[in-house]
Amino acid sequence: MLNFVEVFNVMDVDPTTGHAVWTGLTGTRTAIERDGFVIDPQAPAYCLRAWLDERGYLDSELARQHPRPWGI
């Protein structure tokens, strides 16, 4: 079995509107909560642990370096 981890879109609150806005990051629940951001519960996904950086966020360069287990 492959080593997958659940990841979420990282949301921040816009101070002028109070609405959640995507920061452009995707990360683990632990990293998001540690850094004081909000999790988008509508968009959970899974990725290989090898695609995460040392902070717990998805690193697109690491993802490109590792072969995908299936074609997308």
Side-chain angles (χ1 to χ4, degrees), residues 22-70:
W22 184 48
T23 63
L25 294 172
T26 302
T28 63
R29 180 182 299 274
T30 303
I32 296 169
E33 290 175 349
R34 175 195 67 219
D35 294 340
F37 291 111
V38 179
I39 292 171
D40 181 3
Q42 301 294 326
Y46 294 88
C47 76
L48 292 172
R49 287 190 187 274
W51 295 355
L52 298 176
D53 64 15
E54 65 279 351
R55 300 173 304 142
Y57 293 99
L58 180 66
D59 184 323
S60 59
E61 285 301 315
L62 289 174
R64 284 188 200 100
Q65 292 173 10
H66 291 83
R68 290 169 178 76
W70 54 83

